Amino acid sequence: APEDNPSLGLRGLRFLFSRPDIFLPHLRAILRASAYGKLSILFPMVADVFDLRQALNFLQQARNGLRREGLPFDEHVRVGIMVEIPSAARELEYMLPLIDFVSIGTNDLTQFLFAVDRGNSNVFRWYRQCHPVILRIIRDICTLVDSMPGKQVSICGELAGSRRALPLLLGAGVRHFSMSPFRVPRLQDSVPNYTIPECERLLDEVLATCDTEIAIMQFLAKRGIVS
C-alpha cells in the first residue's frame, strides 16, 4: 500500500516479518547456497534486540527445515546486522553477543538521526553525513565492537567512499569499507598517506574543535585533505 513516508515505513526487516512466505524461502536459498562457498547474512533495518531475535528465529526455522530434508548448508554462516536506525546503535551492546558482525549504514543512519528525507531537496541541507554526531557514533560503535573478541565492524554508504572522510573513519576504528567500485582506486591511493595514530589524533582534534559539519570541512581543507 502507498505510504506517506516510505523511508519510515514497511521496509527491510519490517517488510520481511510481514511476509514470512517471502522471508523463509529467501533464508533457505541463502543457506543452501552456503554449501558451495562462504557467505554471510546481513539483516537490514534492525531496530532493537526484539527485532534481532525475531530474525534469528526465522533463520533457525530455515535451518531446521533444511536439516529435516537432509539438505546441506554451512552450519556456521556468519550473521550480522545493519546499524542504520539510531535505536540499534544505542542497543548494540545487547545485540552483539547474538551476532558476528555489524555494518554501519551511514546513509540511513544520517537520515534518521537528523530527521531528513534524503530524497527531499527541500531539506537536503540538513543531511549532514560528516557531522561530529555521526563521527562520535561511528567511533562508539567501533570501540564497542573491538571490545568483544571475534566481532567485526564495517561501514557502507556515501561516507564510506569519501576520500575526505577516510582519515576520520580510520581514526574512529573502521577497517572494513564497502563502496561503489569506481571509488576504490581513489581511496586505495589515499590510504598510504596516513598512519592509524595520525588518524586517531586527527579525529580527536576534529571532535574537540569542530561542532558542525561545515567546521569539519574547513578544518580538513586547511590541512589539504580534500574530496
Side-chain angles (χ1 to χ4, degrees), residues 55 79 98 128 135 147 191 222:
V79 178
L98 304 176
R128 300 158 178 162
L135 295 174
S147 71
V191 168
K222 287 179 181 178

Side-chain angles (χ1 to χ4, degrees), residues 6-83:
S7 294
L8 300 177
L10 196 66
R11 53 186 291 229
L13 208 55
R14 299 167 182 178
F15 170 77
L16 293 171
F17 287 153
S18 74
R19 293 294 304 272
D21 58 313
I22 294 176
F23 197 16
L24 272 173
H26 192 64
L27 290 172
R28 281 174 55 94
I30 294 173
L31 289 173
R32 291 192 65 182
S34 73
Y36 303 97
K38 285 291 181 182
L39 57 79
S40 301
I41 296 175
L42 179 68
F43 291 123
M45 291 287 289
V46 177
D48 58 12
V49 163
F50 183 75
D51 277 357
L52 176 57
R53 286 179 177 145
Q54 284 191 86
L56 293 174
N57 182 57
F58 274 97
L59 180 58
Q60 192 59 43
Q61 290 180 53
R63 285 177 173 139
N64 292 341
L66 293 179
R67 289 191 190 106
R68 284 194 299 269
E69 297 168 38
L71 296 172
F73 66 93
D74 182 1
E75 292 278 359
H76 305 289
V77 168
R78 295 172 71 250
V79 178
I81 64 169
M82 185 74 81
V83 179

